[in-house]
Amino acid sequence: MTQKNKSVSDSFAPVAFISGCFSPEARTLAQEFLKNNWHVSVTDPKNAPEASDSQRFHSEEATPSNTGELSAAIIHTAELFGGIDCLVYCNFQPARYHMVLDIDEEEWDRVFSNYLKGFFLACKCAIPYMLGRERPCILLLLPRREQSG
């Protein structure tokens, strides 16, 4: 975990919290935020983009499907940087099916619990730290494979 100076939270740079940098889309988005002088916090240090400015970058191990870990990481980011401007949720496990007809009820429940419930709980935790920000936003990244079928 990268440590920050207290002065970082006093700056006016926007803050992005990215859950799950293991997807190429999430990694690219993190890099773009950094290029545009955002503070960036990610929950997957092993797959995080390289950051030349350690004052604007924070990584912390948190499993997106573990709502306790994810909530703690969201809260820590908000306290570290003084709020959150953009929540990016990308928590996807490989699908075990190809078409809706191939999904049994247990798999359906797992998919909904993983995708939608996790997204809902992340939003519920982050939104109080987004209120009052200039232009808060929430992004749900879907892997290309999950967008069809």
Side-chain angles (χ1 to χ4, degrees):
M1 178 165 64
T2 306
Q3 297 297 318
K4 300 288 178 250
N5 297 333
K6 181 67 176 140
S7 61
V8 171
S9 65
D10 298 331
S11 71
F12 293 105
V15 179
F17 179 88
I18 303 175
S19 167
C21 261
F22 45 84
S23 80
E25 296 86 0
R27 251 190 323 278
T28 299
L29 197 53
Q31 290 167 336
E32 287 301 313
F33 280 129
L34 287 166
K35 278 189 218 173
N36 288 291
N37 297 318
W38 283 56
H39 293 302
V40 176
S41 181
V42 300
T43 61
D44 188 6
K46 292 179 292 243
N47 294 309
E50 285 193 36
S52 59
D53 182 354
S54 63
Q55 291 295 309
R56 292 188 302 110
F57 183 76
H58 171 74
S59 64
E60 181 170 336
E61 191 74 43
T63 307
S65 58
N66 181 324
T67 55
E69 286 181 9
L70 187 58
S71 294
I74 289 170
I75 292 166
H76 186 239
T77 295
E79 290 173 349
L80 189 63
F81 294 120
I84 295 175
D85 294 275
C86 185
L87 168 66
V88 180
Y89 187 84
C90 180
N91 173 27
F92 301 101
Q93 299 168 356
R96 296 182 281 219
Y97 58 89
H98 297 287
M99 296 183 64
V100 171
L101 295 174
D102 297 335
I103 303 172
D104 61 22
E105 188 174 350
E106 182 178 308
E107 178 68 5
W108 180 260
D109 290 340
R110 184 191 72 81
V111 168
F112 264 77
S113 177
N114 183 46
Y115 295 152
L116 298 178
K117 185 176 181 184
F119 176 62
F120 165 74
L121 293 173
C123 290
K124 190 171 181 176
C125 182
I127 286 173
Y129 299 103
M130 298 173 81
L131 296 174
R133 304 299 276 194
E134 190 172 323
R135 292 186 336 198
C137 66
I138 297 173
L139 303 174
L140 172 61
L141 295 185
L142 296 174
R144 296 188 194 287
R145 185 173 190 278
E146 305 299 329
Q147 294 175 10
S148 63

